[in-house]
Amino acid sequence: MCFRDALNDSDKFTRENAMKTKKWMGLAALLLVVPVISGCWLLAAGGAGAYGGYKMKEEGYTVQNPVKKEAPAATDK
């Protein structure tokens, strides 16, 4: 006798419900974890952009559209 044959209908129904519940709980956990992780990435990207802007300003670039290097004043020559 096979194990599958030994299951009656109520066991199948319970097992299917347990699998569906596990699937939904996993999906809910994933949906809760992804925004938390993505917030960290946004913070890191913002910090990297700010640092890049700071270093560009040190080199004499302006933060305007288009980005260009400031020309030295005529009196500085």
Side-chain angles (χ1 to χ4, degrees):
M1 178 187 265
C2 182
F3 177 76
R4 197 176 247 176
D5 295 335
L7 290 175
N8 60 22
D9 289 337
S10 64
D11 286 341
K12 283 183 183 178
F13 184 70
T14 305
R15 191 171 283 180
E16 287 175 6
N17 281 344
M19 290 178 70
K20 284 181 183 178
T21 303
K22 253 187 188 178
K23 182 179 177 181
W24 282 109
M25 293 299 282
L27 182 62
L30 183 66
L31 289 175
L32 290 173
V33 169
V34 168
V36 171
I37 294 173
S38 65
C40 294
W41 286 107
L42 289 174
L43 185 62
Y51 181 72
Y54 175 76
K55 292 309 261 183
M56 285 180 67
K57 187 67 176 172
E58 281 184 351
E59 296 292 322
Y61 288 92
T62 60
V63 185
Q64 295 178 351
N65 194 9
V67 176
K68 60 183 178 180
K69 196 166 188 174
E70 293 176 351
T75 59
D76 291 345
K77 288 184 179 179

